[in-house]
């Protein structure tokens, strides 16, 4: 099974990495929707939020912690930022390896589109 985010995580596909550790990798979105738009992914292939259970939930918590670190690094923490995890067609998911979108640098609207 080929997965573009697994390929980025294991270095087979180029990406503009901003952070990595033994559990997670973060890189700039190729089609940014805000001045700062970074994706945080687990090294482990988890298809999406619907595949999160008690066993792998700590990994998702780690992604949120990494997002906070990145927000500090990027200078978007003081004004705030938005985290998004899309699931399935109606959620707008296009890559089926779970990822947290970190969006900042502009005021986000609500409700989301
Ligand atoms: P989704 O729609 O699944 O929530 O988000 C997938 C995101 O991955 C999109 O924002 C899209 O721009 C981004 N993306 C898709 N392919 C690549 C790629 O090869 N490299 C990078 N850096 N981002 C990608
Ligand atoms: Zn994957």
């Amino acid at each position: 099974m080929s997965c573009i985010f697994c390929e980025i995580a294991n270095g087979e596909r180029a990406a503009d990495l901003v952070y990595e550790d033994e559990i997670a990798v973060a890189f700039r979105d190729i089609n940014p929707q805000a001045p700062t738009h970074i994706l945080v992914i687990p090294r482990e292939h988890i298809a999406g939020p619907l595949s999160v259970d008690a066993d792998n939930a700590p990994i998702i918590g780690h992604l949120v912690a990494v997002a906070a670190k990145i927000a500090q690094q990027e200078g978007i923490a003081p004004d705030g930022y938005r985290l998004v995890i899309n699931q399935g067609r109606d959620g707008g998911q296009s890559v089926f390896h779970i990822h947290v979108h970190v969006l900042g640098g502009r005021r986000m609207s609500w409700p989301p589109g």
Side-chain angles (χ1 to χ4, degrees):
M1 181 200 69
S2 80
C3 166
I4 60 171
F5 285 1
C6 281
E7 288 175 4
I8 287 173
N10 64 31
E12 289 169 10
R13 179 185 288 264
D16 186 359
L17 298 189
V18 298
Y19 177 89
E20 62 181 318
D21 63 23
E22 59 288 348
I23 296 165
V25 177
F27 52 91
R28 294 191 193 281
D29 196 292
I30 204 166
N31 182 23
Q33 302 301 313
T36 296
H37 186 175
I38 289 165
L39 303 173
V40 188
I41 67 168
R43 290 191 184 277
E44 179 178 325
H45 182 90
I46 298 168
L50 192 57
S51 304
V52 177
D53 57 22
D55 288 339
N56 62 22
I59 295 174
I60 309 309
H62 184 73
L63 302 183
V64 175
V66 167
K69 203 175 289 193
I70 289 167
Q72 299 280 5
Q73 270 177 29
E74 294 284 318
I76 58 172
D79 288 342
Y81 56 95
R82 181 170 292 176
L83 303 182
V84 175
I85 309 178
N86 294 322
Q87 168 63 48
R89 184 195 66 188
D90 282 2
Q93 186 178 13
S94 60
V95 177
F96 294 86
H97 178 132
I98 197 168
H99 46 281
V100 177
H101 295 260
V102 183
L103 296 150
R106 67 168 171 84
R107 185 73 62 90
M108 300 297 148
S109 59
W110 194 263

